[in-house]
Structures are given as C-alpha cells and as structure tokens.
Amino acid sequence: MPDWLLYTGSRIRHDGIDRLPPPPPWRAFDGEPVLEIPDRPSGNEHQATTYRPSDDAVQQVNAALYLRRPLLVTGPPGTGKSTLAYAVAHELGLGPVLHWPVTSRTTLRDGLYQYDPLTRLYAAGRDDAPRDEDIGRYIRLGPLGTALLPYARPRVLLVDEIDKSDIDLPNDLLTIFEKGEYELPELTRRADPSAEVMTADGPGDRVTVTAGTVRCRAFPLVVMTSNGEREFPPAFLRRCVTVELRQPSGEAELSAIVREHLGDLADESDDLVRRFFERSTAGTLATDQLLNAVYLCRHADAEDRRALADRIMPYLTGPVDDD
C-alpha cells in the first residue's frame, strides 16, 4: 500500500490516523476545549473485521480524511456501504460509529440535537425543583451534533440512506459541513449560555457547551450512503468525495467473503456461490442473502439445498424479463 494511506483496509487496528497532516487552510477548524474520543469499539465488530474494501474505496476514504470532506458512498444493496464506516472506525481506532438513519421526515435538527421542554416544564413545577436549574439535562446532541464536537481526532458519522431524505436536507447539510459548527438557541438565549449536555454516545456521556455553540476541531469522517434512489444537486456533489461500490466480480471473490464471515461453515458452499451468480444474471441479489443461505443450508436438513437457497435469496427488484 502507498505510504500516504492512513486507512488501508487491513482490518488490523493501528495508529495511522496520527499521521494525518494538517487540513487545507480552507478546511481548518479550532473548536475548544479539545475532547478525546470514547475508548470503545466501533459498534459492529464482526462486520468491521470481515469487510473487504475495494482499492477504490480505500483511496476515497483517505481522500475524504485528508481533505476533511464528506464521503458519499453509492451502490446496490449488500455491497457494504454502511459497513465501510465501521471498518474505518475499527482500523483507525476512532471509537463508536455515530449512526444517523435518514427517512423522508428527517430534518437537520434531528441530527444536531434534541431538546425536551415538556420534561423541563414538569420538573420546574415540582416543589423540590432546584433553583439553579440544569438545562443540560434536557438537551441531548444527535449523531451529527456529537460528531462536530471538538474531538482531537475525527469521529466517524454514518448518515445512512441519505437518498431517502427530504429534498432540502442535502443543502441544509452543506452549511453545517462548511462551517463545522452550529448553535443551540435554547442556550444562546440564556444569561449563562453554557451547559453540560448529553451526547449521542449515551446518557452517561456529557460534555460542556460554551457560549451556546458547538464547533469541531477535527472534521469528522462523514460516510453518507445512497442506494441511488435520487439525484443530488451539483453544489452538494462537488463538496463530497464519492465512491461507488460494486457486487463481487467473480466466484473466487465471493467465496472469500463467505469464508471471512462464516469460517468452517463455508466449507462445501461452492455450489451455493455458483447458484448465486447464476441467479444474479436475472435480477438483483445481495451478498448477505448468500450468507444467510450458506448458514441455513449447513444447519437445515434439506434434500434440495438449491431449492432452499433460492427461497432464501429472493430477487430484490424482481427477475428481469427475457423479452
């Protein structure tokens, strides 16, 4: 691997992230006080340690790290778009992945933070309520809001299925990604705009927000996945590093993936791998369907393994018509 690569796809944890050079002048951030990343696993260790990234994916992950730009990952289902985030976090020791699943109802505010005014109002009405109220108890940073805290090293943020979002969300994200900061109006309106708030890492993890503003220091590695259900505006795309993941290109590559996941259970699975490729010429299938079929066929007492595998591997988009 070239020396400039920090993430290599080796799946072996190392401190290569410490070689990350200073950012380009236009992507430098100076948030304080400096925080350390939680010393915990990525959150999906099996996937992270069995993932086999393409050379192109390795190159583009490193480009995103160097340039401090979001990474837009596209490709069909089952190609490991989401898993890539966990693999990078595991190898580079970047703590638990901050996962933000996106739907058509998701707003920018959902990713930044949540404020619970009703619980606060109820607590204030109690006879034993303290005079100096701790407003931070009612504010919890979301995955995006937590990723933008002033960590010494980049956190990994997984924005899952951004193509399902409302049409305005990608453009709303642009401002946040460019500024690397955001405000909490509930704090800025107070005489003392500082508070200790909860983070997306869990209710036990609290950080101090000063002056009602969160500003990053090490821009996070933002991995945004897309199944290609929509097009993104040019202004959004030009600020992203992009990579397209593809299905395994041959039986040998797919067999290696099956063995990585299932070990000895993958023995005598060549016929199922071959069947997967035969069927994939007529419709869309995903690699995890094959993994399910191999696992089940090793445990189920079935006379016709092929028939059982076919039922476990239905087409995701329907078979292609021969006409």
Side-chain angles (χ1 to χ4, degrees):
M1 287 287 184
D3 289 342
W4 77 279
L5 296 182
L6 310 175
Y7 170 65
T8 65
S10 68
R11 296 167 289 175
I12 300 173
R13 188 166 176 173
H14 57 79
D15 57 2
I17 193 65
D18 294 336
R19 295 190 287 109
L20 182 65
W26 55 89
R27 297 296 294 161
F29 304 98
D30 57 2
E32 292 183 338
V34 181
L35 303 174
E36 294 300 323
I37 288 177
D39 186 17
R40 294 198 290 271
S42 68
N44 195 333
E45 294 305 285
H46 173 77
Q47 296 284 0
T49 55
T50 56
Y51 184 65
R52 300 165 63 92
S54 65
D55 290 343
D56 190 35
V58 171
Q59 297 271 346
Q60 296 302 80
V61 165
N62 282 278
L65 286 168
Y66 274 74
L67 298 174
R68 278 65 171 184
R69 289 293 184 185
L71 179 68
L72 178 62
V73 186
T74 61
T79 50
K81 298 186 295 296
S82 300
T83 306
L84 179 59
Y86 292 94
V88 176
H90 169 79
E91 182 179 322
L92 296 181
L94 298 180
V97 170
L98 296 161
H99 183 205
W100 184 20
V102 172
T103 71
S104 60
R105 298 179 299 277
T106 300
T107 65
L108 179 64
R109 168 74 178 266
D110 296 329
L112 290 176
Y113 72 99
Q114 296 175 338
Y115 170 60
D116 187 357
L118 294 180
T119 301
R120 181 186 177 195
L121 183 63
Y122 171 77
R126 291 170 47 191
D127 293 336
D128 59 348
R131 271 182 108 176
D132 297 325
E133 184 187 9
D134 179 12
I135 188 175
R137 294 171 53 195
Y138 311 104
I139 297 176
R140 181 171 181 174
L141 304 185
L144 173 59
T146 300
L148 290 172
L149 286 167
Y151 290 108
R153 300 194 294 177
R155 293 295 300 268
V156 178
L157 170 66
L158 172 60
V159 184
D160 220 355
E161 300 191 331
I162 191 172
D163 52 331
K164 292 184 177 178
S165 71
D166 177 84
I167 193 171
D168 293 327
L169 182 60
N171 285 327
D172 291 343
L173 286 171
L174 283 183
T175 302
I176 295 295
F177 290 158
E178 290 301 302
K179 295 175 60 178
E181 68 177 33
Y182 63 96
E183 287 188 347
L184 289 82
E186 290 78 7
L187 293 183
T188 57
R189 290 194 292 259
R190 290 167 54 90
D192 179 7
S194 300
E196 193 177 58
V197 304
M198 296 178 285
T199 75
D201 287 311
D205 290 278
R206 298 184 70 177
V207 296
T208 299
V209 174
T210 59
T213 300
V214 172
R215 180 172 174 82
C216 75
R217 191 173 189 88
F219 188 79
L221 176 64
V222 182
V223 179
M224 300 181 291
T225 71
S226 169
N227 291 320
E229 295 183 6
R230 62 177 284 191
E231 294 184 355
F232 297 102
F236 179 79
L237 291 176
R238 74 179 179 86
R239 290 176 172 86
C240 296
V241 175
T242 62
V243 61
E244 182 178 0
L245 303 187
R246 304 181 185 279
Q247 294 285 10
S249 58
E251 292 183 23
E253 183 181 355
L254 193 54
S255 293
I257 293 174
V258 172
R259 183 162 293 280
E260 287 282 357
H261 282 273
L262 296 175
D264 292 342
L265 289 177
D267 293 345
E268 301 178 5
S269 63
D270 290 349
D271 60 327
L272 297 182
V273 171
R274 194 170 303 112
R275 181 59 176 165
F276 178 88
F277 269 100
E278 290 174 356
R279 300 186 72 243
S280 64
T281 61
T284 302
L285 296 173
T287 305
D288 53 359
Q289 292 175 293
L290 174 61
L291 295 174
N292 291 335
V294 172
Y295 178 85
L296 184 61
C297 287
R298 282 301 305 269
H299 289 87
D301 185 16
E303 293 184 6
D304 189 344
R305 289 188 358 142
R306 271 190 153 204
L308 177 59
D310 287 355
R311 289 195 293 272
I312 300 302
M313 299 188 295
Y315 291 115
L316 301 179
T317 58
V320 177
D321 196 336
D322 292 335
D323 293 339

